């Protein structure tokens, strides 16, 4: 009986520490994000892409794509500034655990099993900018597909930073009906290569 109580106490303590660590991360990321309208722009673009792709008449699609181009430029600029601002975060606060489950303060206790959120956001900023600028000369449909994937992967990284990789993947699937593997396969090859290098570091 005493052993059971001890195990329960340890479990409750670990849960409290994990919740405290995650709340600190959410607050830190939130303080940087609140200066921008990145989430709102993402939602507008996602809905706009669906609207444009739902139109069968190219003449009716054209003004929608033009409107979306302006929002894409705004998102690229805002995310670039966000990534630059987050780059000032200290090393300890920027580490993200690569362990399969969330453990309290794992990024501080096991620094070798981590990656740098600042580097990951820099990769996302480049990928979003390249997709928004359409440097590969994609059709509007393919551009929308690639930019959406870049944004979903970035969102996955933010949730991974705040919670864990497993939680981030579950949220991605629930919100966008897309798996982490599918999103990673859909981003530009340069993004995928740079991203995988960062999370494997």
């Amino acid at each position: 009986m005493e052993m059971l109580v001890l195990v329960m106490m340890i479990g409750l303590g670990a849960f409290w520490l994990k919740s405290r660590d995650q709340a600190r991360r959410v607050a830190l990321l939130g303080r940087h994000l609140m200066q921008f309208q990145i989430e709102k722009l993402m939602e507008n673009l996602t809905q706009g892409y669906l609207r444009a792709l739902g139109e069968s008449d190219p003449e009716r699609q054209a003004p929608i794509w033009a409107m979306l181009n302006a929002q894409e430029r705004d998102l690229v600029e805002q995310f670039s500034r966000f990534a630059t601002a987050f780059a000032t975060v200290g090393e300890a606060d920027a580490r993200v655990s690569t362990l399969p489950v969330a453990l309290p303060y794992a990024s501080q206790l096991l620094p070798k099993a981590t990656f740098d959120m600042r580097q990951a956001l820099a990769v996302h900023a480049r990928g979003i900018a390249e997709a928004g600028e359409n440097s590969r000369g994609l059709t509007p449909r393919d551009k929308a597909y690639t930019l959406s994937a870049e944004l979903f992967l970035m969102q996955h990284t933010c949730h991974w930073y705040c919670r864990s990789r497993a939680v981030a993947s579950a949220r991605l699937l629930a919100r966008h009906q897309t798996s982490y593997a599918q999103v990673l396969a859909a981003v530009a090859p340069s993004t995928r290569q740079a991203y995988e290098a960062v999370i494997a570091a």
Side-chain angles (χ1 to χ4, degrees):
M1 185 67 177
E2 290 181 1
M3 181 60 70
L4 179 61
V5 172
L6 180 60
V7 169
M8 288 179 62
M9 293 291 289
I10 292 173
L12 287 172
F15 178 79
W16 180 80
L17 287 173
K18 182 186 74 172
S19 299
R20 183 179 176 182
D21 184 36
Q22 290 178 345
R24 180 184 60 81
R25 289 173 170 270
V26 169
L28 177 60
L29 191 64
R31 281 198 303 274
H32 285 83
L33 280 171
M34 69 185 296
Q35 305 171 51
F36 307 100
Q37 294 184 312
I38 294 169
E39 191 171 351
K40 181 180 178 181
L41 286 166
M42 279 184 62
E43 184 179 348
N44 290 345
L45 284 173
T46 301
Q47 292 176 352
Y49 290 151
L50 291 174
R51 183 180 162 205
L53 294 171
E55 290 285 353
S56 57
D57 184 354
E59 290 187 4
R60 298 187 62 155
Q61 280 185 338
I64 302 175
W65 289 126
M67 176 193 69
L68 292 172
N69 284 339
Q71 294 197 6
E72 288 166 354
R73 288 192 296 270
D74 195 9
L75 177 60
V76 166
E77 188 271 334
Q78 288 203 32
F79 193 83
S80 176
R81 289 197 288 128
F82 161 65
T84 299
F86 197 87
T88 64
V89 167
E91 170 79 17
D93 289 329
R95 304 310 298 182
V96 185
S97 172
T98 56
L99 297 177
V101 294
L103 296 176
Y105 297 96
S107 59
Q108 282 90 1
L109 297 173
L110 301 166
K112 291 188 177 180
T114 65
F115 67 89
D116 193 325
M117 181 66 168
R118 299 168 299 184
Q119 294 177 6
L121 290 178
V123 169
H124 291 312
R126 287 193 299 273
I128 291 168
E130 289 174 4
E133 293 162 5
N134 199 15
S135 58
R136 294 192 292 159
L138 303 175
T139 64
R141 179 189 181 92
D142 289 344
K143 175 188 173 184
Y145 179 76
T146 300
L147 184 52
S148 294
E150 297 279 355
L151 294 172
F152 293 166
L153 184 62
M154 174 274 294
Q155 194 174 53
H156 181 277
T157 303
C158 289
H159 288 151
W160 187 349
Y161 173 78
C162 292
R163 303 294 181 187
S164 69
R165 180 173 179 170
V167 169
S169 297
R171 286 186 176 181
L172 179 65
L173 193 59
R175 289 187 179 189
H176 305 295
Q177 292 75 56
T178 306
S179 72
Y180 173 61
Q182 288 174 315
V183 167
L184 197 57
V187 297
S190 57
T191 298
R192 184 165 53 253
Q193 182 179 5
Y195 182 80
E196 289 179 335
V198 167
I199 66 174

